[in-house]
Amino acid sequence: MRILIVGAGGVGGAYGTLLHEAGHDVTFLVRPHRAEKIRQNGLTFVSPEGRRTNEVSCLCTGEEGGPYDIVILATKAYGLDGALQDIRPFVTEQTRIVPILNGMAHIDRVNEMYPGQALGGIVKIVATLDGDTVVQMTPLITMTIGSLDENAVPPEIVNALTVPGFTLTVSNDIRAALWEKWAFIASAGIVTCLFRGPVGAIIEVGGLGAIYSAIAEGEAVAAAAGYPVSQAGHQGSLNLLTEEGSAFTSSLYRDVAAGHAHEGEHILGELAEQARNIGVSTPLLDLTLIQIRTGDSPIS
């Protein structure tokens, strides 16, 4: 199957590389400056297994290509609307679109523009773009997909995304899985953005109780929305966010600290709105949003 990866950053670059190395027909849809680098130098990927550079195909908006059987949206949430317009020339009615974004609002947005063509998608990876190099920072790399309606995920999609290098899971309740991830990344964002540092440092100065409270807030919103976090999901949050000496920080914190565009409104702002609508108190979430929005203010 022909696969289009929208974005070649940490997430898109990692998964796209592994799909390419498995022999799939993979193309990256990227901005012109990124395309120039990839065409000249290839796409370099550093994972716990080693460093390698692959010659891969890429496109820019306005160039001819496609159509594609699978489109994986690996942009940041604030780039979604532009990406949905950019993929139009490459999509047919048979194309399945897999957004692997944070939050939940993107599901409705994709369905508005491409009715019935979206699958739910979740990835778990700690990855970044170091210059032009995609770096996978820990061994964890998984993908979960699932149908958003009563139809099963087409078997050809499952086969195409089952490759060495990452674990693929097909979920029978992808909305619950999306909420579970949202609760976790929101809790991680609250902890590291509010206290401005890695988990280990926060614990060292007495912040463990606040970490438990942040996890509880995210999970309380999910439960009130009808998607309670599983025991395994809860334990996963505890394992990652309460480890003494841990250098873990959320990607949201890293973007905020670096002064980059960030997903604060998509991860935390939308969750706070959900909490208000269903009557859940989220004091730590609200404080974190005040801090982030203050930093973004033109007065700052």
Side-chain angles (χ1 to χ4, degrees), residues 187 190-191 194-195 202 206-217 241-242 284:
S187 299
I190 292 167
V191 168
L194 184 58
F195 299 116
I202 296 166
L208 185 60
I211 292 175
Y212 282 117
S213 295
I215 294 171
E217 282 189 15
L241 298 180
T242 65
L284 291 177

Side-chain angles (χ1 to χ4, degrees), residues 97-138:
I97 301 170
V98 186
I100 49 175
L101 283 72
N102 293 321
M104 288 289 292
H106 63 279
I107 296 296
D108 291 337
R109 185 69 180 124
V110 177
N111 276 327
E112 286 173 8
M113 293 189 67
Y114 302 95
Q117 294 183 242
L119 296 173
I122 300 169
V123 298
K124 293 183 180 179
I125 184 174
V126 182
T128 190
L129 194 61
D130 183 5
D132 296 322
T133 300
V134 176
V135 180
Q136 179 188 337
M137 302 162 70
T138 71

